[in-house]
Amino acid sequence: MNPSPDPAACCPPLPRDPAQERQALRDWWRIGLGTLLAGYAMSFSLAINTAEVSATTRTAVHTGLLIVAVILWATLGGPLLRRAFQAARARRVTVEALFLAGLLGASGASLQGMLAGDGPVYFETVAVLLVVYSLGRRLTQSSQERALASVASWLGIPESCERLAPGGTSRACPVREIAAGDLVRVQPGRMIPVDGIVAAGAAFVQQAHVTGESSLARRGPGDAVAAGAVCVDATLTVRATAPGNARRIDRIARAIDQARARPSAFVTAADRMARLFLPLVLAIALLTFLVWTRLAGWPTGLFNMLAVLLIACPCALGFATPAAVWSAIGRIAEHGLVARAGSLIERLAAVDLVIFDKTGTLTLPRPQLADLVLADASPGTHRRWRALIAAAERASDHPLAEALASLAPAADAIADAVRVDALRIIPGLGIEADVTWRADGETGSGCLRIGSEGIVGADQKAPWRELSDRLQAGDLTQRIAVLLDGRPIATAAIDERPMPSMQPALELTRALGPRLMVLTGDTADRAARLGIAEYEAALTPEAKLARVRELRAAGRTVLFVGDGLNDAAAMAEADAAIAVAGAAPLARESADALLTDDDLAAIPRAIDLARRAARVIQSNIRLAVAYNLAGMAVAAAGWLHPVAAALIMTCSSLIVTWRSLRALHDEPGAAPVKNPAPEARHAVLPAP
């Protein structure tokens, strides 16, 4: 069996797209040019409005300002127009509609004044608005690109297999072509592609991702296996019991698609406010125009209406909300949690129930050595036998090797004096090695066997069980026999261990207030050892999915943290889902975010950052509403010049956007959990 994947290897950061870099560079050049032209336009406009100039000079300056506005419409207005058009086609009101209202009002009023020859011209205001919109969008997009730069490459479940023909020949074919009753050959280290019954062969099967069981399972003729489990150490022939497109993992995939069809929980606060705000702005602007036209003529009415439209441009609504969201995503990425969409922040902020899978999520995916008892405890023999066991396991990629290979340090002289002459797999039982050693001036050799109780001969059962009874390990451990030339020399207990960061992560999560729960396919006894009061065990993937649906229907906002195929449907159904490092491909595909390492404390830190981002967004919205209402009242009263309105709006936009980008950096979050103590790294889960 292949070693556990390195998180950095299974989830490599995506290289930055050169086309994306070129586009960002072009955007910044356009914004820089726009800022320069808008600055010149503001200077010329101020000069012509504060000095007595001839009609010819005024016309020339106005023509120059018009050219500047046209250039900026051409270079910066495209994204705004496209977004507004797309929203209109979808019958949605967005912040782009508010920007367009101000821009079209300023452009129309300026053209009318220019053609009349004596009215006000606000082309410089158009230029400033286009620069402000483009700058806000570019800052938001830059935050988004940085936050998503580490998104993993999603690997798919193999969809081809080796089908056996009646004559014994085989050929590769798509899994979807497999019918019930067909025979499929599965090589060691490969994923089983179909649900079926073992027809021939015997092997250890790793099915933690499928069923949640932490220990290896031996499967032989007549035993059921599921698609997605991994054949570890021998070739199996599997008779399919279901068509290749009707496997359990296919049902899980359909459940994921149905869950994704739900309307997204994330609708930006900006768009929600825009739907209410746009009609109000237009109504106040129209009323201002009508009232002032009646009182002082249409030029004054147009002047004050334009001031209303400009002061109402959506600063916090347009920029600060997405800026805060993507700033939060960037911050949680720094802690090792890569989000796939901005909607994760809103959903994490509302989480009040965190559900964990057990095996591979809260516990390490590989079993660890819990205890070892040797038949001869004399120092020389003790060291020699430990070195023999370690050497044999180091020569193998068997799943038990990782636990037993650490028995003799690499620097130990006797470990260097052990040679493995041959290594053989005993399918479904363990390994056998021909070993030679040299110690204390003596040379020896023998046949070493390491595996389950099945390798122990009938005449040696009693001595081995006597050794096994001396193990200081609970009943839930997996017992391993070690025989030298058929005689038991040792027995080992293999057990699952908690993730080093499990306890700190649980404590941080409890401190934030969400309720904790474990849903696992493993036994209740193993689940009870985690120390989480609420747990449900022996659950099928369908049962996990149903439980999440029940909890959401009861009003809970659910975050599901998992790693296996058996978690994928429940993860897709949850309000938010996180896949841990090394998760199965379908689980990663179902998740809204992916842990890039084994630090589970990144999860409560992400919840904390999401809540703080939500507070920033809410304060931005309150500030925007108060600012816009007050500004519109002042403008409607005739006390605000349109140019002053544009300048105030620009300053407020930049201030609120800066506040959104900096808020999550200024306030420290939860401290990372790094370098746990050795006793924490090696602690075995306590017995129930």
Side-chain angles (χ1 to χ4, degrees):
M1 183 175 182
N2 297 327
S4 297
D6 175 37
C10 73
C11 315
L14 290 179
R16 187 174 174 103
D17 186 355
Q20 188 181 74
E21 289 187 336
R22 290 193 296 270
Q23 181 60 50
L25 184 61
R26 285 194 296 267
D27 288 347
W28 283 116
W29 271 108
R30 289 170 181 167
I31 292 170
L33 175 63
T35 302
L36 182 65
L37 292 177
Y40 279 125
M42 291 293 291
S43 300
F44 277 103
S45 177
L46 181 63
I48 201 171
N49 288 325
T50 57
E52 292 293 334
V53 297
S54 65
T56 302
T57 302
R58 183 178 296 275
T59 300
V61 172
H62 285 174
T63 302
L65 295 177
L66 172 61
I67 292 172
V68 168
V70 170
I71 291 173
L72 293 187
W73 267 113
T75 56
L76 300 178
L80 172 63
L81 293 173
R82 281 195 299 272
R83 285 175 174 269
F85 178 71
Q86 291 167 357
R89 287 188 62 182
R91 298 183 180 180
R92 293 189 298 113
V93 177
T94 64
V95 293
E96 280 72 23
L98 289 170
F99 269 100
L100 274 182
L103 284 165
L104 294 177
S107 299
S110 299
L111 286 173
Q112 194 280 332
M114 183 177 177
L115 294 175
D118 59 355
V121 172
Y122 306 107
F123 289 124
E124 75 283 2
T125 303
V126 173
V128 170
L129 284 176
L130 286 168
V131 170
V132 169
Y133 177 84
S134 300
L135 178 60
R137 284 298 174 195
R138 184 65 253 175
L139 288 173
T140 299
Q141 191 170 349
S142 295
S143 298
Q144 180 177 356
E145 289 167 359
R146 286 194 301 270
L148 297 182
S150 299
V151 172
S153 300
W154 308 108
L155 303 176
I157 295 175
E159 287 298 326
S160 63
C161 64
E162 184 183 357
R163 181 166 60 184
L164 297 179
T169 60
S170 66
R171 69 176 183 87
C173 76
V175 174
R176 63 178 179 273
E177 295 181 5
I178 296 296
D182 285 350
L183 292 176
V184 175
R185 178 182 291 152
V186 187
Q187 302 292 346
R190 297 296 182 89
M191 185 177 289
I192 297 173
V194 296
D195 294 342
I197 301 293
V198 176
F204 277 124
V205 172
Q206 176 59 267
Q207 51 191 13
H209 280 322
V210 179
T211 66
E213 297 173 72
S214 57
S215 57
L216 294 173
R218 185 181 186 277
R219 293 291 181 262
D223 293 330
V225 291
V230 176
C231 178
V232 173
D233 57 356
T235 299
L236 292 178
T237 300
V238 178
R239 187 179 302 278
T241 55
N245 60 355
R247 302 165 297 175
R248 167 173 276 186
I249 57 175
D250 295 314
R251 295 196 296 272
I252 293 172
R254 284 192 289 272
I256 293 170
D257 289 338
Q258 293 170 2
R260 284 182 171 175
R262 298 194 313 258
S264 172
F266 181 68
V267 178
T268 65
D271 288 351
R272 287 198 298 266
M273 290 298 298
R275 285 197 296 270
L276 300 174
F277 205 57
L278 181 61
L280 177 64
V281 170
L282 295 179
I284 293 176
L286 180 60
L287 182 62
T288 300
F289 175 76
L290 294 176
V291 170
W292 280 104
T293 296
R294 184 176 181 83
L295 294 176
W298 70 265
T300 302
L302 185 63
F303 182 91
N304 291 331
M305 180 188 75
L306 183 57
V308 170
L309 290 174
L310 293 176
I311 200 69
C313 276
C315 53
L317 297 183
F319 303 142
T321 297
V325 166
W326 290 108
S327 180
I329 286 178
R331 289 282 283 141
I332 67 175
E334 293 173 8
H335 290 292
L337 185 67
V338 178
R340 299 178 66 192
S343 58
L344 175 70
I345 298 302
E346 182 177 344
R347 288 178 279 155
L348 277 183
V351 162
D352 59 10
L353 171 61
V354 181
I355 297 177
F356 291 96
D357 170 52
K358 183 187 72 69
T359 307
T361 299
L362 292 177
T363 64
L364 293 170
R366 293 296 189 121
Q368 305 290 314
L369 181 64
D371 193 18
L372 175 72
V373 173
L374 299 173
D376 186 341
S378 60
T381 304
H382 187 278
R383 291 176 61 245
R384 181 171 68 251
W385 285 353
R386 288 172 66 95
L388 290 176
I389 296 168
E393 292 295 0
R394 283 175 185 159
S396 168
D397 61 356
H398 196 275
L400 303 179
E402 189 172 340
L404 298 182
S406 61
L407 287 176
D412 195 321
I414 193 169
D416 295 333
V418 174
R419 185 177 73 246
V420 177
D421 298 314
L423 182 73
R424 296 171 292 277
I425 299 294
I426 309 173
L429 293 175
I431 65 169
E432 182 178 80
D434 295 332
V435 293
T436 302
W437 66 89
R438 178 172 48 81
D440 301 325
E442 297 182 5
T443 300
S445 64
C447 178
L448 187 73
R449 281 191 161 202
I450 304 173
S452 63
E453 185 179 355
I455 67 169
V456 182
D459 59 332
Q460 296 294 328
K461 290 285 186 182
W464 178 76
R465 285 174 181 161
E466 180 182 346
L467 279 179
S468 184
D469 289 341
R470 291 162 52 190
L471 286 170
Q472 300 297 313
D475 294 335
L476 302 180
T477 57
Q478 185 176 0
R479 306 301 173 98
I480 304 299
V482 182
L483 284 74
L484 182 60
D485 293 331
R487 181 170 58 90
I489 63 169
T491 184
I494 306 299
D495 200 3
E496 63 180 344
R497 297 182 185 272
M499 287 287 185
S501 59
M502 183 188 79
Q503 285 303 330
L506 296 180
E507 291 170 8
L508 287 173
T509 306
R510 288 189 182 101
L512 292 173
R515 171 180 160 195
L516 300 180
M517 179 183 290
V518 171
L519 299 182
T520 179
D522 209 350
T523 64
D525 289 337
R526 291 187 183 276
R529 298 191 300 169
L530 296 170
I532 297 176
E534 290 189 71
Y535 61 86
E536 297 178 25
L539 298 179
T540 64
E542 293 82 1
K544 287 188 177 184
L545 171 62
R547 192 70 180 101
V548 171
R549 283 178 176 165
E550 290 173 7
L551 291 164
R552 293 185 70 240
R556 290 288 184 176
T557 303
V558 177
L559 167 63
F560 197 107
V561 184
D563 77 310
L565 295 173
N566 59 331
D567 302 321
M571 292 169 71
E573 180 66 26
D575 296 279
I578 295 174
V580 300
L586 193 57
R588 295 201 302 270
E589 185 62 29
S590 305
D592 303 294
L594 176 69
L595 276 174
T596 59
D597 56 32
D598 292 332
D599 186 8
L600 294 173
I603 295 169
R605 289 197 292 267
I607 295 174
D608 177 53
L609 283 163
R611 290 178 177 179
R612 286 160 48 199
R615 290 196 294 270
V616 171
I617 291 170
Q618 291 166 2
S619 66
N620 283 338
I621 292 173
R622 289 193 294 269
L623 178 61
V625 170
Y627 153 79
N628 280 285
L629 291 177
M632 285 192 295
V634 172
W639 300 337
L640 191 63
H641 192 284
V643 174
L647 291 175
I648 294 171
M649 179 276 304
T650 300
C651 292
S652 64
S653 297
L654 296 177
I655 289 171
V656 177
T657 301
W658 174 84
R659 180 174 178 269
S660 295
L661 292 174
R662 295 303 307 169
L664 299 179
H665 293 268
D666 293 339
E667 182 183 350
V673 178
K674 295 185 180 295
N675 300 322
E679 58 270 20
R681 288 198 295 269
H682 298 289
V684 180
L685 286 172

